[in-house]
Amino acid sequence: MVRTRPMETPPKIENQDSRWMKFALKEAEKAAARGEVPVGAVAVIENRIIARAHNLREAKNDPLGHAEIYLLSKASKKLKRWRLSDVTLYVSLEPCLMCMGAMIQARIGCLVFGARDPKAGACGSLYDLSNDRRLNHRIEVTEGILAKECSKMLSDFFARLRKRSVR
């Protein structure tokens, strides 16, 4: 299912979204290869990727080591500004509370994610910070882009972990 707020996305945009989400999935593959939960993200402005990141919590022993947090930092440094209202952020998994809070603080204009996160999602699954009128910024969201591929990567990763722990 693709849900877009506040207006429906034309099919041409959905194809572009799929294109950029494939780059986020490549980042997720890098995370998986390092034994990290496979979440990847890319930041796009004017049809150009300006930053890429993937989860590094285990490698850096960092509870803030989510792909989105690293991505926001890289994008801000590259652009030499913290306001990222012209950035579209693509991420393979629905962001958590921490990441949504960071995106709101960075004034991200658009968020596109693949798979929903029923246990920690803060963009519609458990919470919806993207559209909370009590906050000073709202983020346009498109969800479900390459959702099956994103979900499969996560499911396969956790199945391998469970298999290893049984041995």
Side-chain angles (χ1 to χ4, degrees):
M1 172 179 100
V2 175
R3 174 180 60 114
T4 303
R5 286 184 313 247
M7 62 186 139
E8 287 300 312
T9 304
K12 183 178 177 184
I13 302 288
E14 283 184 24
N15 291 337
Q16 281 292 92
D17 285 344
S18 295
R19 174 184 174 214
W20 299 121
M21 187 61 73
K22 287 176 184 172
F23 287 99
L25 280 167
K26 285 181 184 178
E27 288 297 313
E29 288 170 5
K30 292 178 188 177
R34 298 180 71 145
E36 301 279 352
V37 174
V39 177
V42 295
V44 175
I45 296 179
E46 297 175 1
N47 266 340
R48 266 187 31 248
I49 293 176
I50 60 155
R52 305 165 190 256
H54 54 273
N55 275 7
L56 289 169
R57 282 175 65 174
E58 302 298 329
K60 297 198 177 232
N61 293 310
D62 181 2
L64 306 178
H66 291 199
E68 302 96 319
I69 299 295
Y70 287 123
L71 185 76
L72 291 171
S73 182
K74 286 179 175 184
S76 293
K77 285 178 182 155
K78 177 156 187 148
L79 297 171
K80 296 182 171 68
R81 58 185 162 90
W82 64 268
R83 283 184 183 90
L84 304 176
S85 57
D86 54 343
V87 169
T88 299
L89 193 153
Y90 291 84
V91 63
S92 56
L93 180 65
E94 178 182 4
C96 69
L97 281 167
M98 173 181 69
C99 294
M100 279 305 297
M103 285 183 230
I104 289 165
Q105 291 301 314
R107 310 299 194 266
I108 287 292
C110 297
L111 166 67
V112 180
F113 70 87
R116 278 195 157 222
D117 186 349
K119 294 182 179 177
C123 202
S125 290
L126 288 180
Y127 306 97
D128 190 358
L129 292 184
S130 67
N131 201 30
D132 190 324
R133 296 193 185 281
R134 296 170 298 178
L135 300 173
N136 65 341
H137 180 69
R138 279 168 284 297
I139 300 172
E140 182 180 328
V141 174
T142 302
E143 70 175 69
I145 304 299
L146 300 183
K148 287 180 185 173
E149 294 89 333
C150 295
S151 286
K152 183 173 179 357
M153 186 176 293
L154 287 157
S155 298
D156 291 351
F157 174 81
F158 287 112
R160 283 191 303 273
L161 270 186
R162 284 190 296 279
K163 194 173 181 180
R164 277 190 221 138
S165 69
V166 171
R167 289 181 187 176

